[in-house]
Amino acid sequence: MDFRLLGRVGAATGAEELQLGPVKRRSVLAALLLKANSAVPVEQLIAALWDDAPPTHARTVVQGHVSRLRALLASAGAGEHGVGLMTQGPSYVFEVPETLLDTCRFERLARRGRLRQRPADAVAVLGEALALWHGPALDGTAPSAPLRAAAQTLEEARLDVVESLAVAHERLGDRAGAVAVLQAEAAAHPLCESLAEALILALYRAGRRSDALDRYHRVRCLLADELGVGPGPGLRGAYETALRGGPVGAGGGGPVSPLPAPGAGPAPVPDARYEADARYEMAGRYEADALLLAPAGRPPAPAGPAPRLLPRGVRGFLGRGTELAALDRITGAGNGAVALVTGPAGVGKTALALQWAHHRQARYPGGTLFADLRGFGGVPVEPAETVREFLIALGVPARDLPDSSAAAAALYRELTARRALLVVLDNARGTDQVRSLLPSGTGSAVLVTSRIRLSGLIVEELARPVPLDVLGPVPATELLAAAVGEERVAAEPEAADRLARLCDGLPLALRITAAQLAARPHWRLADLVAELADEQRRLALLSLDEAEESGVAAALRITVQGLPPEAVRLFALLGVVPGPDLERYAAAALLGRDPAVAAEALDRLAGAHLVTEYAPGRYSTHDLVRLYARGLGTDEGALLRLLDGYTATALAASLAAEPGEKPCCTLPREAPADAPVRTFADRSAALRWYAVERENLAAAVTAARAAGHDDRAWRLAVLQWPYVVWSVRDGWAPLLEQALEASRLLDDPDAESRVRALLGWVLTREGQLSEALAQLELAPALAARAHDPSSEAIALVNLAVALDADGITDASLRHVTRAVRLAREAQDVLTELLALQHRTHQLLARGDIAAAERCTAYALALDDHGVTTGLGALRRAALRLSRSEALLALGERDAAESCTRQALAEAASQGFQEGVNRARSQLEALGRPVDLPAAPKGGDRPVRS
């Protein structure tokens, strides 16, 4: 098992990635892993999830995510690896061996690498440490202050290792290796002076004096532009060394001296204005350094035309630090890198591209080219037309332009071969629009923006994607404040936060909202909140001028155009989906098509950023997209098809989770019998499905009730019973109360008895005995009316359990006796085992040891048709433990030990932790050694009836 914080937060067992679900659940895991094996108070987890004031139900949300994580870990067999998520008072402790956590492995390798005396060993170990990183630390988590601070700390530790690795390369004599290590990081962190200092010295020692001076001037300008400060003493000292050092040696490097330790820097030099700095120019040439480095009597070669075609950047640009850093990393690698910024309509792709390009175009002395390809909206620009515009910008007179497109493209390749160009191609719809516009020189960089995933560009040109998502609550509110004024937002912080959420964090929607407020200075923010809260009007309000096709709805409409028909149809049905996400089987049910067709449609929607594949095979939709889809017209049967798909799959899951149990219901009569249904390899797979789909199933119950499909509502609730019994104290009562209301409206005694029996049992386990009895006292009679003896037997046992909570009563004894008889007559062995299990408990509690021994002997001799997993196995384990108690009381110690060890093996094989604990206690009472069997896949589970 493996847990990762150095990149996208994740967990895996073997080759199987655990599906962590939404951002907040991933953030809870990250906060716990950052303090692994230590108590983390709930308040700290709340702070990690919400950067602003948390909602009133924050504690409940955290508890829910912890519960889901426990279920996920249990299904992945975390216990086998020594991993557990424990409650400790008001805190949680994530127990995990350090070898399973990448941050611990990174720290250990970094420490070992710095202590290695042999440079080759240090290079190998430090390189192994850096190989553990797969992106920015804590990627995919909430943008809260605690997690941002932790990510920054981890990134600083990584940069320290990078600098140490460069030192090791230098000690090894590999100066090119030292440069390579530092160059990419310095590009990704252009304002980090220690990295720039180390790189300047490394370049100088590698014989690249002009590059070293060039690097210094770039960093100096960046510091002045971005921070308004000059270089520090260490950076100035590195520049002085490169500028005034001795001649380059025969070995290809400058004067040899050990690189400084990370962060130390060379000796400081006086803070003076060097003549070379005074003559430094930003027009694509470094005149001062060129004069110093050019051979005597030869002036530097004149620069060719350097076009600057960038349009003005977007005002009020905020945030996006992660994406800007990603663009730095990609383009810093050189070799004609292509960065591909993708994201949904209105998310700010163009704004990001222009912001980065304006701040980085000084890196490209050959010039900056820009073209809006109009791939979405208007008539797309032909590549040949753009090539001609680029040729003119590069100095080719219009009269000399080639006649043919092929000749023009060839001339473009020739002119760009020796230039360091930045080419920005905005709003591309396909790879064909982009291919002929790519410069041929390896010193150039290309930045492409698109609403769709340009897979061809990624495959053919090795383009590196930079996905852009909506803004989080804090930057969204900051953007609003920048547009309408800090004072106006500060006066109504709650309304501002609500506006940001209603706009889905979409920059286009936020800017339109700001325009609405600017046009109505007498409106309070709360007034616009009230207007936008109306889902019927929200999209209309988020449009400035319908005639100009501006606004969120217009942007979405243009994106949908051109998609395949099946993808367009599925998009129109997304408004029907009641839950937070869906996968291909749910999409297949919506469409009434095969899952393969649905998967292809989902992939096309994801490629157009109309849905987000936040985990493999699982797709979510932003609220504004869902609202737009809802207005495209509805398929009257879509919701019913989806409900029937969920019902059929839940029925299959219940049969896989508890194969020996009788189905608690059948499909509705009108449900299609041939609908595609997910299959489950085993009970662990079924329980994982229940855990992942819990929110969707709950939303489906609510939607079914609202649409009058009560026959689906109660089934969808009760069919989750295998998961309910394994996570009983996890807030199931509200869902079952909805199911109860649905069953009562149907006047269906079978449905009502099953719901009441399950709800009553849940309430019993929660300690709400009076409420439980109110349900359970009605359930047996309803089951009898429905002529279902097995259902009546289960209801009677559940009623007896509730009654016995305050002591064994004659009434509960009668209920269990009748339950045994009903189950036996129905030849329902597993239900009979349940009744006999509780019967034995009653006999032991009353001191009737001989009767308890006879009862367990009879029960364990029953033929349960080979059921060795699930509740049947747990009932047998519980019966063996009761039998062991009876045998011990009768003085048969050897027989008691044998029975206990059998129970221990069965309980451990099913993850029945309460049974394991009971067996251990009984063996200790017998004075026998406790040899625990290996923990099963699925982890610890509490006892359930």
Side-chain angles (χ1 to χ4, degrees), residues 359 403 585 589 716 876 924:
H359 283 79
D403 294 330
Y585 281 91
L716 283 169
R876 287 190 169 277
E924 289 168 358

PDB file of all heavy atoms in Angstrom, residues 359 403 585 589 716 876 924:
ATOM      1  N   HIS A 359       4.514  38.496 -19.036  1.00  0.00           N
ATOM      2  CA  HIS A 359       5.581  38.490 -18.044  1.00  0.00           C
ATOM      3  C   HIS A 359       6.791  37.672 -18.471  1.00  0.00           C
ATOM      4  O   HIS A 359       7.852  37.754 -17.845  1.00  0.00           O
ATOM      5  CB  HIS A 359       5.055  37.968 -16.701  1.00  0.00           C
ATOM      6  CG  HIS A 359       4.241  38.966 -15.954  1.00  0.00           C
ATOM      7  ND1 HIS A 359       2.927  39.233 -16.271  1.00  0.00           N
ATOM      8  CD2 HIS A 359       4.568  39.794 -14.924  1.00  0.00           C
ATOM      9  CE1 HIS A 359       2.460  40.161 -15.456  1.00  0.00           C
ATOM     10  NE2 HIS A 359       3.431  40.524 -14.633  1.00  0.00           N
ATOM     11  N   ASP A 403       2.863  32.337 -52.932  1.00  0.00           N
ATOM     12  CA  ASP A 403       1.489  32.198 -53.405  1.00  0.00           C
ATOM     13  C   ASP A 403       0.779  31.004 -52.773  1.00  0.00           C
ATOM     14  O   ASP A 403      -0.414  31.066 -52.464  1.00  0.00           O
ATOM     15  CB  ASP A 403       1.469  32.051 -54.927  1.00  0.00           C
ATOM     16  CG  ASP A 403       1.944  33.325 -55.614  1.00  0.00           C
ATOM     17  OD1 ASP A 403       1.743  34.417 -55.027  1.00  0.00           O
ATOM     18  OD2 ASP A 403       2.506  33.220 -56.711  1.00  0.00           O
ATOM     19  N   TYR A 585     -22.191   3.343 -16.370  1.00  0.00           N
ATOM     20  CA  TYR A 585     -23.430   2.571 -16.275  1.00  0.00           C
ATOM     21  C   TYR A 585     -24.628   3.482 -16.017  1.00  0.00           C
ATOM     22  O   TYR A 585     -25.718   3.267 -16.555  1.00  0.00           O
ATOM     23  CB  TYR A 585     -23.304   1.499 -15.194  1.00  0.00           C
ATOM     24  CG  TYR A 585     -22.532   0.296 -15.658  1.00  0.00           C
ATOM     25  CD1 TYR A 585     -21.158   0.217 -15.475  1.00  0.00           C
ATOM     26  CD2 TYR A 585     -23.163  -0.751 -16.320  1.00  0.00           C
ATOM     27  CE1 TYR A 585     -20.430  -0.882 -15.923  1.00  0.00           C
ATOM     28  CE2 TYR A 585     -22.449  -1.853 -16.777  1.00  0.00           C
ATOM     29  CZ  TYR A 585     -21.087  -1.907 -16.578  1.00  0.00           C
ATOM     30  OH  TYR A 585     -20.371  -3.000 -17.041  1.00  0.00           O
ATOM     31  N   ALA A 589     -27.790   4.091 -18.546  1.00  0.00           N
ATOM     32  CA  ALA A 589     -29.201   4.056 -18.169  1.00  0.00           C
ATOM     33  C   ALA A 589     -29.912   5.318 -18.640  1.00  0.00           C
ATOM     34  O   ALA A 589     -31.045   5.258 -19.147  1.00  0.00           O
ATOM     35  CB  ALA A 589     -29.320   3.900 -16.657  1.00  0.00           C
ATOM     36  N   LEU A 716     -34.533   1.620  -3.505  1.00  0.00           N
ATOM     37  CA  LEU A 716     -33.174   2.156  -3.539  1.00  0.00           C
ATOM     38  C   LEU A 716     -32.596   2.336  -2.144  1.00  0.00           C
ATOM     39  O   LEU A 716     -31.386   2.247  -1.947  1.00  0.00           O
ATOM     40  CB  LEU A 716     -33.167   3.504  -4.284  1.00  0.00           C
ATOM     41  CG  LEU A 716     -33.246   3.405  -5.806  1.00  0.00           C
ATOM     42  CD1 LEU A 716     -33.497   4.779  -6.413  1.00  0.00           C
ATOM     43  CD2 LEU A 716     -31.957   2.817  -6.367  1.00  0.00           C
ATOM     44  N   ARG A 876     -21.990 -17.615  12.295  1.00  0.00           N
ATOM     45  CA  ARG A 876     -21.363 -18.853  12.768  1.00  0.00           C
ATOM     46  C   ARG A 876     -20.247 -18.543  13.768  1.00  0.00           C
ATOM     47  O   ARG A 876     -20.097 -19.240  14.771  1.00  0.00           O
ATOM     48  CB  ARG A 876     -20.802 -19.643  11.593  1.00  0.00           C
ATOM     49  CG  ARG A 876     -21.890 -20.309  10.754  1.00  0.00           C
ATOM     50  CD  ARG A 876     -21.287 -21.288   9.757  1.00  0.00           C
ATOM     51  NE  ARG A 876     -22.356 -22.082   9.168  1.00  0.00           N
ATOM     52  CZ  ARG A 876     -22.893 -23.164   9.735  1.00  0.00           C
ATOM     53  NH1 ARG A 876     -22.458 -23.563  10.914  1.00  0.00           N
ATOM     54  NH2 ARG A 876     -23.873 -23.828   9.149  1.00  0.00           N
ATOM     55  N   GLU A 924      -7.462 -15.691  26.550  1.00  0.00           N
ATOM     56  CA  GLU A 924      -6.704 -15.196  27.696  1.00  0.00           C
ATOM     57  C   GLU A 924      -7.312 -15.696  29.003  1.00  0.00           C
ATOM     58  O   GLU A 924      -6.590 -16.034  29.952  1.00  0.00           O
ATOM     59  CB  GLU A 924      -6.663 -13.671  27.661  1.00  0.00           C
ATOM     60  CG  GLU A 924      -5.773 -13.114  26.541  1.00  0.00           C
ATOM     61  CD  GLU A 924      -5.971 -11.632  26.329  1.00  0.00           C
ATOM     62  OE1 GLU A 924      -6.830 -11.034  27.021  1.00  0.00           O
ATOM     63  OE2 GLU A 924      -5.283 -11.053  25.454  1.00  0.00           O
TER      64      GLU A 924
END
